[in-house]
Amino acid sequence: MEGSILPYAFGEKGSYDTKDKQIKKIFEWLNIGLDIDFISPRINRVIKGIREMYFDIVYWGFWINSERVINIKLANSDLHNRGLGVLFVTYQIKKNNRHQPKELVTKVIKPEDKSLERELLGTGASLAEELNRTAICVNGEGLLGAVKTLDIQTSRNHGSMVEYFEGEQIDRIDGTEKTESDSKTLTEIFTALTGMDDLHYENLLYQRNSETGSYDTPAMIDADNALSKRIFGNLSEAIERNNGFGARRSERQNIDCVTGIDEDFILRVVKPRFMGKKGRTVPIRTTDLASLKNEYWKNPNLEFIKGETWDIYINYFLYNIKNDERIRLKSDNELRNGWEAYLVNYFLKLLTTGNPADSRTAPGLRGVVGPEDYEMTNEQKSIAVRNALSDFRNGQIPFYEYDFSTGYVLSHGSIIWHGPKLDDIFSGEAVARMIENFQHPGMQVE
């Protein structure tokens, strides 16, 4: 319930812009005629989530020497780690001299420990800063731009605090405004170098250049979905798979050759950033809560789902199955038992092999982690399904960690998959192939 109420009613992009409308919407969600056993755990999770948010806000306020909180916004983000979403918090900074003007600072508070993201993109000795100092050439011309870095602080118990900045999604930038730049090209190279996946429109924001008026400086928002099998070392795939880079091919020069990245740089600078770290992997497509319109519920093939009673993620899976495979049930109890039984088969198929109709955003663990021939054990299947059901009931998106040192993919700390280890990912053969792909990326303008 938490995942349905909080972002949908209070999300920054939500349509419930007045307090009366927000309260009315919450009561609409609550007035669903279900038994108390069904409702209680969801309400308890809301209360627990608010408490955890409070302590995170206070913790980071002390960190930056804040004397009070001025404003809090709930971002319209997916819920996964700890069942929480992203917060935009404006603090008032404490001053030694009371006559000094008040200083307000906005920070992004995230529920996850973003240690890997800090290692890759943080201000202060990150991989991005190393790349920015390296002489990289495209088609023989040196790049003058830089990968955008962010101030990122992390905590084991209170998530992370990230620098806040204003930016636009590329799909919301006027087609006449330029977005191509050396900084964007270097960012694309960075994503290939790190195997960065899941940089969709919301995860790659463009800052406006005050001098030129162009949106030519992209900044990565979530940069811990790294070492993706389908992107690592492949520049053309990095640009094609991450739609946050856009498809303005008419503005893009041919990228015939990238130089400046050699075996020494990859093994000495890139690989150590992942040692002892865990990243995130997204084998199944996630759906933005606030973007789901009533049309989803009016589909004639979903008549057995009454109103907005059931968690939208469950309905997302049901919506994608073929007509002759749909479960048609009459009562709430039958529906509750029905989707759980169905989820065991359909969810596991999506998790392992992905959705053939949507391989771009739903590649499955075989497509994003590998290997292609891995088969989950019965115990791993049981863990994956049990944890997914728990997540769905709490309004969360299943959250998967990829431990690069061991190759394990984890769900709530339990192993559900055995992927390649860091040494396998950076094997001599893989590094040689990576360098060859940079030198001959085969990218042509159409």
Side-chain angles (χ1 to χ4, degrees):
M1 184 69 69
E2 172 204 28
S4 300
I5 292 177
L6 291 179
Y8 199 90
F10 294 102
E12 185 181 15
K13 304 171 191 171
S15 58
Y16 305 99
D17 52 358
T18 68
K19 190 63 65 178
D20 287 343
K21 290 181 181 178
Q22 291 171 352
I23 293 173
K24 180 181 179 182
K25 184 60 184 178
I26 288 176
F27 275 96
E28 287 178 2
W29 279 101
L30 293 178
N31 187 25
I32 54 180
L34 296 177
D35 58 84
I36 193 65
D37 291 334
F38 185 81
I39 295 176
S40 293
R42 291 155 175 77
I43 299 300
N44 291 337
R45 191 62 190 90
V46 172
I47 295 171
K48 183 180 179 183
I50 292 173
R51 186 182 298 115
E52 291 179 17
M53 287 177 179
Y54 168 80
F55 285 117
D56 290 351
I57 292 169
V58 171
Y59 176 87
W60 292 116
F62 277 113
W63 182 277
I64 61 174
N65 199 31
S66 166
E67 63 182 6
R68 61 181 299 204
V69 173
I70 301 299
N71 189 36
I72 302 172
K73 278 186 178 181
L74 281 81
N76 194 26
S77 60
D78 295 335
L79 304 182
H80 29 63
N81 193 280
R82 293 193 286 145
L84 305 179
V86 175
L87 302 173
F88 299 109
V89 182
T90 301
Y91 296 96
Q92 181 174 298
I93 305 303
K94 190 181 298 181
K95 296 292 184 180
N96 294 328
N97 186 339
R98 63 186 179 87
H99 297 293
Q100 290 180 293
K102 303 293 185 183
E103 179 186 357
L104 301 183
V105 175
T106 299
K107 296 290 185 180
V108 183
I109 309 300
K110 296 189 174 186
E112 307 99 330
D113 179 350
K114 293 288 186 177
S115 296
L116 176 61
E117 191 168 320
R118 182 177 63 181
E119 194 74 25
L120 299 179
L121 279 177
T123 301
S126 66
L127 174 58
E129 291 182 328
E130 289 267 12
L131 185 64
N132 290 340
R133 290 192 292 266
T134 303
I136 303 296
C137 295
V138 171
N139 302 343
E141 298 274 341
L143 294 180
L144 301 178
V147 177
K148 170 73 174 176
T149 60
L150 299 170
D151 179 43
I152 302 172
Q153 305 297 330
T154 65
S155 163
R156 178 174 297 180
N157 298 318
H158 297 285
S160 303
M161 179 177 66
V162 182
E163 173 186 343
Y164 172 81
F165 67 92
E166 298 285 346
E168 286 288 346
Q169 299 174 196
I170 198 169
D171 61 329
R172 296 179 180 176
I173 298 173
D174 190 283
T176 62
E177 295 179 288
K178 182 177 174 61
T179 61
E180 300 304 319
S181 65
D182 281 3
S183 292
K184 182 178 179 183
T185 300
L186 194 60
T187 302
E188 292 167 342
I189 292 171
F190 176 87
T191 62
L193 196 61
T194 57
M196 199 67 64
D197 209 338
D198 201 38
L199 292 176
H200 48 75
Y201 294 133
E202 293 84 0
N203 281 348
L204 197 63
L205 299 184
Y206 290 73
Q207 293 183 287
R208 188 166 196 149
N209 187 315
S210 58
E211 295 181 1
T212 65
S214 301
Y215 289 89
D216 55 11
T217 306
M220 288 169 272
I221 303 302
D222 278 324
D224 52 3
N225 191 18
L227 297 186
S228 169
K229 170 188 169 184
R230 58 186 186 165
I231 287 175
F232 180 62
N234 193 319
L235 183 57
S236 59
E237 286 295 305
I239 296 173
E240 176 67 25
R241 297 290 182 180
N242 291 308
N243 59 16
F245 287 123
R248 298 184 180 182
R249 296 288 184 179
S250 59
E251 295 182 10
R252 186 184 301 282
Q253 65 173 358
N254 290 342
I255 301 181
D256 300 317
C257 180
V258 177
T259 57
I261 298 172
D262 56 17
E263 180 179 3
D264 176 72
F265 184 85
I266 293 171
L267 296 180
R268 177 181 55 84
V269 178
V270 180
K271 181 182 177 181
R273 303 292 177 173
F274 297 96
M275 291 180 176
K277 294 289 191 298
K278 294 177 184 177
R280 182 168 55 97
T281 184
V282 183
I284 298 176
R285 178 185 176 188
T286 58
T287 304
D288 184 33
L289 282 163
S291 70
L292 285 176
K293 307 300 182 184
N294 285 334
E295 285 76 11
Y296 279 83
W297 306 92
K298 295 176 181 177
N299 187 296
N301 293 319
L302 297 178
E303 290 177 349
F304 60 87
I305 299 176
K306 302 299 182 183
E308 297 174 332
T309 301
W310 297 91
D311 184 275
I312 62 168
Y313 294 112
I314 300 301
N315 289 293
Y316 171 73
F317 288 116
L318 294 176
Y319 183 77
N320 280 279
I321 62 177
K322 297 177 182 178
N323 290 339
D324 59 355
E325 294 176 345
R326 292 190 188 280
I327 304 171
R328 298 184 178 277
L329 302 164
K330 297 179 181 180
S331 70
D332 284 348
N333 287 333
E334 285 179 314
L335 178 56
R336 185 181 306 172
N337 295 331
W339 64 252
E340 290 192 11
Y342 173 76
L343 189 61
V344 172
N345 296 315
Y346 187 67
F347 170 77
L348 284 173
K349 180 180 178 182
L350 285 178
L351 181 63
T352 56
T353 63
N355 183 350
D358 189 20
S359 60
R360 179 188 180 96
T361 56
L365 285 170
R366 289 178 181 170
V368 75
V369 174
E372 294 183 5
D373 59 352
Y374 185 78
E375 295 287 347
M376 298 173 72
T377 67
N378 289 334
E379 181 182 5
Q380 290 170 345
K381 290 178 181 179
S382 176
I383 292 171
V385 170
R386 184 171 64 247
N387 289 344
L389 288 172
S390 175
D391 286 337
F392 288 139
R393 291 192 187 103
N394 288 324
Q396 301 172 220
I397 289 175
F399 185 88
Y400 301 101
E401 289 183 310
Y402 185 6
D403 188 326
F404 303 122
S405 297
T406 63
Y408 296 151
V409 174
L410 308 170
S411 170
H412 294 259
S414 298
I415 300 169
I416 64 165
W417 191 268
H418 288 192
K421 299 178 183 179
L422 197 62
D423 287 341
D424 299 323
I425 296 171
F426 286 89
S427 68
E429 181 182 351
V431 170
R433 185 170 56 250
M434 186 176 185
I435 295 171
E436 175 67 18
N437 284 338
F438 275 118
Q439 293 177 348
H440 304 284
M443 294 183 57
Q444 300 294 322
V445 175
E446 296 179 1

